[in-house]
Amino acid sequence: MAGKALRPLNSYLMIKFMTNPIKPTIKTELIPLFLIILMAVAAVYFYNNLPARVATHWNFSGVVDGYGSGKTQAIAMPLLAIGMYLLFLLLPYLDPKKERYEQFNKVYHIFKSMILALLAVIYFVIGLNGLGYNLPVGVIIPGLVGLLFIIIGN
């Protein structure tokens, strides 16, 4: 008898746990998916064209202080972007209370797109530098991080 009484409660908890309070739509997922596809296509090009050793880290002055494998660099950032995207989709499911999402639904999607855009720009800056283009990393990356904080702050 006690098992029958718990079924509705268990069903309610399972439905509450499994519902996503931030509903993904084509409109909200278009930019993140475009960025991931763009990075995946570039990964094929970078994988075949980057030299064996590429700069992967610059200090605050914009001087290279870290190197890595060109092949690893070609695939690591797109995989990280896919992982971040999946994490953004999964996080609302993990929130036990699922409250107040209506208040920041739009902000959540903007933040998701901005983080993936930042990853994409970093990926292309590293990749293009590896191909011989001398991009001002010390200006581009700090500028984009600052822009991200300005957008988040508003």
Side-chain angles (χ1 to χ4, degrees), residues 3-130:
K4 289 183 180 182
L6 288 179
R7 275 191 206 137
L9 178 62
N10 288 342
S11 298
Y12 169 76
L13 291 175
M14 193 59 136
I15 290 170
K16 183 169 173 63
F17 178 74
M18 295 305 293
T19 57
N20 188 349
I22 295 187
K23 304 285 188 248
T25 65
I26 295 295
K27 184 179 175 182
T28 62
E29 304 310 307
L30 191 61
I31 292 173
L33 290 175
F34 171 75
L35 291 169
I36 289 171
I37 290 168
L38 183 66
M39 290 174 73
V41 169
V44 173
Y45 180 79
F46 286 153
Y47 189 84
N48 292 318
N49 293 299
L50 282 175
R53 183 177 170 213
V54 295
T56 57
H57 191 271
W58 290 257
N59 64 19
F60 192 71
S61 301
V63 177
V64 177
D65 64 356
Y67 293 90
S69 162
K71 298 211 183 294
T72 301
Q73 192 281 326
I75 60 173
M77 193 69 81
L79 290 176
L80 176 65
I82 291 168
M84 288 293 293
Y85 177 72
L86 293 174
L87 186 63
F88 275 115
L89 291 179
L90 180 66
L91 283 175
Y93 286 106
L94 300 177
D95 183 2
K97 293 186 179 182
K98 295 181 181 17
E99 297 173 355
R100 301 182 55 198
Y101 279 100
E102 293 83 23
Q103 295 175 355
F104 65 91
N105 188 15
K106 184 176 179 181
V107 173
Y108 188 82
H109 291 299
I110 291 171
F111 183 72
K112 172 177 53 179
S113 295
M114 293 300 299
I115 293 294
L116 289 172
L118 181 65
L119 288 176
V121 170
I122 292 170
Y123 177 64
F124 282 104
V125 166
I126 291 172
L128 291 173
N129 267 293

